[in-house]
Amino acid sequence: DAGVTQSPTHLIKTRGQQVTLRCSPISGHKSVSWYQQVLGQGPQFIFQYYEKEERGRGNFPDRFSARQFPNYSSELNVNALLLGDSALYLCASSLQTRANPGQGREKLFFGSGTQLSVL
Amino acid sequence: EDKVVQSPLSLVVHEGDTVTLNCSYEVTNFRSLLWYKQEKKAPTFLFMLTSSGIEKKSGRLSSILDKKELFSILNITATQTGDSAVYLCAVGGGTASKLTFGTGTRLQVTL
């Protein structure tokens, strides 16, 4: 079975540009989360979406936005890129269900990430 | 604000050694503590702990949680070069599936 897939794997942009990162969750997973990992640090929470609704947002500026589609895939958009946005962007999915929303939602399965470089 | 602190930050050991990695946390409405292994890009799941005192084991790896003292340890016995990686500790709390990660412990296993 396919794991979490992300595209593109690498991206180079210049300051001020906009970028869209894509993520497909594991089949059957309805929850998708986005994390930013700066070199030498642990991943930092950006967003969580469950059944197409935003369920959590981290401490990131409004330049960061996301959405989830009916097939549970997701996009992360970053506008007006800054040098400090250079990082590995990780997508994760989890088996959160309506019947048991508290079970399994924290057991995240991560994709290989998109390495974003802003010049 | 939720906080996770891992120690040591880095560690170099010889193949066959046993290592203990530490994780302490402060989190509102604690739900779970998770360990991940990150070799290149994708963190891979190792353990999820929710109850104190119950050891989780998988081969040479084991982990235990102390909810009273707010810490967890990850043990790796008979280390191999393939264990070289960054080990991330994360805690889940509140209502969302947000995880708060530590900085990680970089483990290098040499021959």
Side-chain angles (χ1 to χ4, degrees), chain A residues 72-83:
Chain A
Y72 305 110
S73 67
S74 178
E75 286 182 351
L76 175 70
N77 294 287
V78 186
N79 293 323
L81 285 167
L82 303 174
L83 296 180

Side-chain angles (χ1 to χ4, degrees), chain A residues 9-82:
Chain A
T9 54
H10 295 85
L11 206 49
I12 299 175
K13 292 285 189 177
T14 56
R15 281 178 297 175
Q17 286 189 310
Q18 174 265 341
V19 67
T20 299
L21 311 181
R22 295 176 176 83
C23 172
S24 293
I26 292 171
S27 178
H29 286 193
K30 298 180 180 179
S31 176
V32 170
S33 300
W34 288 95
Y35 286 78
Q36 181 196 65
Q37 187 174 25
V38 174
L39 191 63
Q41 299 295 317
Q44 188 173 358
F45 175 73
I46 310 175
F47 287 111
Q48 187 224 346
Y49 277 79
Y50 173 64
E51 290 204 337
K52 296 168 285 180
E53 291 185 11
E54 181 184 301
R55 302 301 179 116
R57 173 186 282 255
N59 189 23
F60 280 81
D62 292 342
R63 299 184 295 107
F64 289 76
S65 63
R67 54 180 176 168
Q68 187 176 34
F69 298 99
N71 66 353
Y72 305 110
S73 67
S74 178
E75 286 182 351
L76 175 70
N77 294 287
V78 186
N79 293 323
L81 285 167
L82 303 174

